Amino acid sequence: MKSADIVIIGGGMVGLAFAALLKNTESQIKIIEKQVPQTTETFSNRVSAINATSEKMLEQVGALQRISTERLSPYQKMSVWEQDSFAQIEFDNSDTSIQQLGLDKLGYIIENNQIQSALWQQVSRQDNVEIILSEPNTVGVSENGAFLTLASGEMISAKLVVGADGANSWLRRQMHIPLISKDYEQTALVCNVKTAEPHTHTARQIFSADSILAFLPLADEHLCSIVWSLPTEKAKQLQHCEVQQFNRELTIAFDNRLGLVELQSERATYPLTARYARDFAQSRIALIGDAAHTIHPLAGLGVNLGFADAITLAQEVRQHLMLGHDIGEYRHLRRFERIRKAEAVKLLAAMEGLKQLFQGDHPVKKLIRGIGLSATNQLPILKKLLIEQAVGV
């Protein structure tokens, strides 16, 4: 039987980041992941908008440096508007509030598989980490520790088991942790597109009565990754329709802001659901990333919430290791749980508020949206607060 201080279920971006943050500790870590991440020469259609806090973390653990500059897309501007309305707000790195924060950009748009691969390369070189290519089979928890069996037949004992295994978390289900969820009754369509006009390193998002469409700029100045939240039937139709029809409908939906749009990748869809686990921690157990919460993919910011989970949990583990505490005891996980549950609730509420604000096309509601956004665009103090939230400062 193998033993470890920490077993991490899931070798995705968040689980790997957590392991990387514990590099210079005496903790022994096992990561359970069924396959080695793969990258491709062509751009993947799943990307994330990495804010300043996440960027600093990725740089700190040595992962950002492993991503080719050709796959890093810094963005200097955000533009949000409503279709058929004067409602619009823009953030720019020339804004005084951004310059005061010492930032030369709002963040990076990076493919998920590039982040995962870079973290995997970094973590696999850590002396205190062993990556086991398998899947968990059973887990049991006692007062003194946790015990896992794997599909490969291996057995592992640990002080703490961390679930970083995604929205359908195996660990969360095994521990019978209830889940509060809300079906957005929408489906996200994701793909990469080529635009006739350069994107000028601007992240753009347009709200309409029944959809939210984000264009996230990639390193190629004519290439964007889109996240299009639509009613499910409409999303399925657009996923399977002729390419010319798709290009035409997407160009119209985007107000022709960057000229004719041309599909450059496969179209993928996934249902949108908000999730929030009742417990982010129990005795011997902690949940991070999508295992603990999922939010609406407005502008691809969700992974930053997961990275913040990893940062907070790593800080708590480090502190209790230094004090010689048992890192798996619930009393030593409560602070992590309290902090991250509060942040997740705030972001879930903010995403829901935005969605509700822009839902519907009643003239009065559109007028309120237009006045509200336009006023915010002109008020430096309020705009500074929004910018700080957007860049994760």
Side-chain angles (χ1 to χ4, degrees):
M1 180 190 297
K2 294 182 176 180
S3 63
D5 295 300
I6 302 168
V7 171
I8 302 170
I9 308 295
M13 293 184 287
V14 174
L16 291 170
F18 174 61
L21 287 162
L22 295 174
K23 178 180 179 179
N24 297 318
T25 67
E26 295 183 0
S27 60
Q28 292 301 309
I29 302 167
K30 311 289 185 192
I31 300 175
I32 314 302
E33 172 56 42
K34 60 184 177 182
Q35 60 188 13
V36 177
Q38 302 293 321
T39 58
T40 59
E41 291 186 9
T42 56
F43 283 94
S44 166
N45 58 20
R46 296 297 297 271
V47 305
S48 292
I50 300 300
N51 66 23
T53 300
S54 297
E55 177 194 346
K56 183 179 178 181
M57 181 274 293
L58 290 171
E59 188 171 23
Q60 174 191 331
V61 302
L64 192 66
Q65 299 88 317
R66 290 185 175 276
I67 301 174
S68 166
T69 54
E70 296 176 354
R71 308 305 276 265
L72 290 174
S73 178
Y75 63 102
Q76 280 86 28
K77 187 175 178 180
M78 291 176 67
S79 180
V80 181
W81 73 98
E82 182 179 24
Q83 198 168 47
D84 303 323
S85 165
F86 64 92
Q88 180 167 333
I89 188 167
E90 293 186 346
F91 303 139
D92 193 302
N93 67 341
S94 64
D95 282 326
T96 304
S97 50
I98 291 180
Q99 293 178 345
Q100 288 173 345
L101 293 170
L103 302 175
D104 60 352
K105 58 185 173 299
L106 297 179
Y108 279 112
I109 305 297
I110 314 177
E111 298 153 83
N112 293 353
N113 62 12
Q114 294 289 327
I115 300 171
Q116 183 188 12
S117 180
L119 283 165
W120 184 281
Q121 293 174 51
Q122 198 67 21
V123 167
S124 63
R125 288 166 171 75
Q126 286 181 212
D127 294 336
N128 67 333
V129 170
E130 179 186 3
I131 298 175
I132 301 173
L133 295 177
S134 186
E135 294 181 85
N137 196 19
T138 65
V139 60
V141 171
S142 71
E143 185 178 335
N144 298 317
F147 178 81
L148 292 106
T149 63
L150 308 183
S152 60
E154 293 179 86
M155 295 179 286
I156 308 173
S157 63
K159 295 177 182 176
L160 174 65
V161 181
V162 176
D165 49 347
N168 297 312
S169 170
W170 173 88
L171 183 62
R172 189 186 64 224
R173 295 196 310 271
Q174 291 295 307
M175 301 311 299
H176 304 292
I177 296 174
L179 195 64
I180 300 167
S181 63
K182 177 186 176 180
D183 187 347
Y184 283 121
E185 298 180 351
Q186 283 196 322
T187 292
L189 186 154
V190 296
C191 62
N192 293 336
V193 298
K194 182 180 179 182
T195 59
E197 298 173 24
H199 54 56
T200 64
H201 299 288
T202 301
R204 295 174 171 87
Q205 188 156 274
I206 177 172
F207 290 83
S208 67
D210 65 350
S211 71
I212 306 169
L213 173 58
F215 268 58
L216 306 176
L218 295 174
D220 183 317
E221 65 178 7
H222 289 277
L223 201 61
C224 289
S225 180
I226 72 158
V227 183
W228 198 355
S229 303
L230 294 150
T232 299
E233 286 304 313
K234 180 67 173 176
K236 292 294 182 183
Q237 176 204 330
L238 287 168
Q239 182 184 17
H240 299 294
C241 70
E242 292 292 329
V243 171
Q244 287 184 333
Q245 180 187 345
F246 178 81
N247 292 343
R248 184 169 59 252
E249 292 204 34
L250 180 58
T251 301
I252 293 169
F254 195 56
D255 277 355
N256 201 24
R257 287 288 173 111
L258 294 175
L260 181 64
V261 176
E262 297 179 32
L263 183 67
Q264 299 292 300
S265 72
E266 291 184 357
R267 290 163 279 183
T269 59
Y270 57 97
L272 297 180
T273 305
R275 300 178 181 87
Y276 183 80
R278 187 194 66 185
D279 305 320
F280 284 21
Q282 293 181 347
S283 176
R284 307 292 165 193
I285 302 294
L287 301 178
I288 58 177
D290 285 355
H293 46 67
T294 60
I295 62 171
H296 195 285
L298 284 171
L301 292 166
V303 74
N304 297 297
L305 190 60
F307 282 150
D309 294 342
I311 292 167
T312 302
L313 184 58
Q315 288 171 343
E316 292 299 301
V317 167
R318 279 178 172 275
Q319 180 180 346
H320 291 297
L321 283 171
M322 289 173 58
L323 295 172
H325 294 162
D326 183 341
I327 58 174
E329 289 186 7
Y330 179 59
R331 61 186 175 133
H332 298 143
L333 297 169
R334 286 178 65 184
R335 176 177 159 82
F336 153 76
E337 182 179 43
R338 184 172 65 252
I339 292 171
R340 297 314 307 157
K341 284 184 86 168
E343 286 300 310
V345 166
K346 278 167 53 179
L347 197 53
L348 278 163
M351 294 298 103
E352 180 63 18
L354 270 175
K355 185 174 176 296
Q356 292 297 329
L357 174 64
F358 282 93
Q359 204 164 43
D361 56 359
H362 191 281
V364 174
K365 202 172 181 182
K366 288 176 76 75
L367 178 63
I368 292 170
R369 289 194 293 257
I371 293 171
L373 273 184
S374 298
T376 300
N377 211 26
Q378 302 301 319
L379 292 172
I381 294 175
L382 185 53
K383 195 172 181 180
K384 180 174 183 290
L385 287 172
L386 288 173
I387 289 171
E388 288 176 352
Q389 289 297 313
V391 300
V393 175

